Amino acid sequence: MKKVREVIAYKNYFEDFLLSQPKKVQDKIFKVIEIIETYERVPTNYLKMIQGTKGLYEARIKLGSNIWRVFCFFD
């Protein structure tokens, strides 16, 4: 699929978080990143604007009954 945007991690914070997760969770995180990079309009169940902020979003990763949230923004 063609990318419409590029996801860039800030410093080593995201990588540290990612590597501390089990393999299944890492795979799901990569899937959500791929969706964010390739969909022109990302569904809100994957990327949601945080109310009361200007431009701050949360990437939402759900696996089973667990949900992880990763803060992000567009540059």
Side-chain angles (χ1 to χ4, degrees):
M1 295 183 102
K2 182 181 175 193
K3 287 186 178 184
V4 294
R5 65 185 62 84
E6 181 181 6
V7 173
I8 301 170
Y10 179 70
K11 294 190 178 181
N12 62 330
Y13 302 114
F14 179 73
E15 184 179 357
D16 292 345
F17 162 74
L18 182 67
L19 294 175
S20 70
Q21 302 304 314
K23 178 75 169 120
K24 280 187 173 184
V25 176
Q26 290 181 21
D27 292 343
K28 183 68 176 201
I29 292 170
F30 285 125
K31 179 182 175 190
V32 171
I33 289 173
E34 181 180 20
I35 289 169
I36 292 170
E37 287 184 329
T38 57
Y39 284 34
E40 185 67 38
R41 300 190 74 152
V42 181
T44 57
N45 55 325
Y46 296 113
L47 187 67
K48 186 174 182 178
M49 185 172 184
I50 299 175
Q51 291 182 341
T53 66
K54 293 184 180 182
L56 187 59
Y57 291 80
E58 63 178 7
R60 302 165 62 99
I61 299 99
K62 184 175 181 180
L63 185 62
S65 62
N66 295 319
I67 298 176
W68 294 264
R69 292 177 171 90
V70 177
F71 293 112
C72 56
F73 59 91
F74 291 97
D75 182 23

